[in-house]
Amino acid sequence: MVKRTLVQNRPWLLASIAAAVAYFVLSDARIPGIGIIALKGAGVACLSVYAWLRHSSADARLLAVAMALSALGDIGMEFYTAIGGGIFLVSHLFAVALYLRNRRRNTAPSQKLFAVALAFLTPFVAWQLVSSTVDAAAVTLYALALGAMAGLAWTSSFPRYRVGLGAVLFVISDLLIFAQMDILAQSPIPAWLIWPTYYAGQFLIATGVIQTLRNELQPE
């Protein structure tokens, strides 16, 4: 069983990590544009393949599609921000569908409050960060989907400190992108933190969801 797991599944996670780290390290290197763009998309694309192969349920398929769309969004962002953002918005809708299918039965009031805060403060903060730009309305609309995704992830039946935390890291990453458009335009902080928080969030979401599905729906 352990041997089968190593052969069939871990390579996709290892490939994902390797691609993500390589992109972060080499993003400023003189690599042909298409090469670095492909490397960027490969990190989450491998997580999509991992999710698709690791479990055959409808929930795993929703996760795989959300991850595949995110990978396309990563690539799209390199060509035109609006294209990448639009693809990411659709990926959030697939994630929302996944989390709505897996609601936590008993959620503490404090956890519900935090989920509501994620859902409503995310678009508000995003709007504040970009309110002086012409893209403020589009960013706010996107952030509504982002906040809904994160809030539902936090109150889903998946592990809160893996999937929920992963969604929060995703929110932090995107808010850093928005801050980079204006108030942090001259700061090196976004460049250092956007990719690590984004990829770590996606990795936690993918592995947390799949592990839960395997433990609950396909015990070994």
Side-chain angles (χ1 to χ4, degrees):
M1 186 63 66
V2 173
K3 183 177 180 181
R4 189 186 72 181
T5 299
L6 289 172
V7 171
Q8 294 182 350
N9 302 295
R10 189 167 295 178
W12 290 107
L13 293 182
L14 292 177
S16 173
I17 294 170
V21 171
Y23 170 74
F24 184 69
V25 172
L26 300 174
S27 57
D28 291 329
R30 292 183 178 179
I31 297 177
I34 193 65
I36 200 69
I37 291 172
L39 194 60
K40 182 182 183 183
V44 177
C46 287
L47 293 179
S48 175
V49 177
Y50 162 80
W52 188 275
L53 296 179
R54 192 68 169 132
H55 205 275
S56 60
S57 67
D59 289 330
R61 296 296 186 251
L62 283 171
L63 173 66
V65 172
M67 290 288 166
L69 287 169
S70 290
L72 289 175
D74 288 330
I75 295 172
M77 291 288 287
E78 296 298 313
F79 294 97
Y80 188 50
T81 302
I83 293 176
I87 297 173
F88 269 113
L89 188 152
V90 177
S91 79
H92 293 324
L93 297 181
F94 275 90
V96 164
L98 169 65
Y99 300 137
L100 284 175
R101 285 169 54 91
N102 294 271
R103 307 300 303 133
R104 187 179 294 270
R105 293 182 179 179
N106 298 308
T107 305
S110 60
Q111 302 299 342
K112 291 180 180 178
L113 182 61
F114 185 68
V116 171
L118 281 172
F120 289 97
L121 287 180
T122 297
F124 176 75
V125 173
W127 175 71
Q128 288 292 312
L129 290 172
V130 299
S131 60
S132 62
T133 73
V134 295
D135 298 324
V139 166
T140 304
L141 176 63
Y142 168 82
L144 283 169
L146 174 67
M149 179 279 294
L152 289 170
W154 192 260
T155 54
S156 72
S157 60
F158 299 114
R160 184 171 290 129
Y161 294 106
R162 291 187 67 179
V163 177
L165 176 60
V168 171
L169 288 173
F170 202 140
V171 169
I172 291 172
S173 175
D174 277 357
L175 291 180
L176 284 169
I177 292 176
F178 303 147
Q180 192 177 40
M181 296 178 180
D182 195 345
I183 63 173
L184 293 181
Q186 304 303 318
S187 172
I189 294 175
W192 282 102
L193 293 182
I194 288 172
W195 182 255
T197 52
Y198 164 74
Y199 177 75
Q202 292 283 50
F203 186 89
L204 287 172
I205 291 170
T207 55
V209 169
I210 293 301
Q211 182 179 7
T212 301
L213 293 176
R214 287 181 65 81
N215 289 344
E216 294 182 356
L217 304 179
Q218 188 179 319
E220 297 182 341

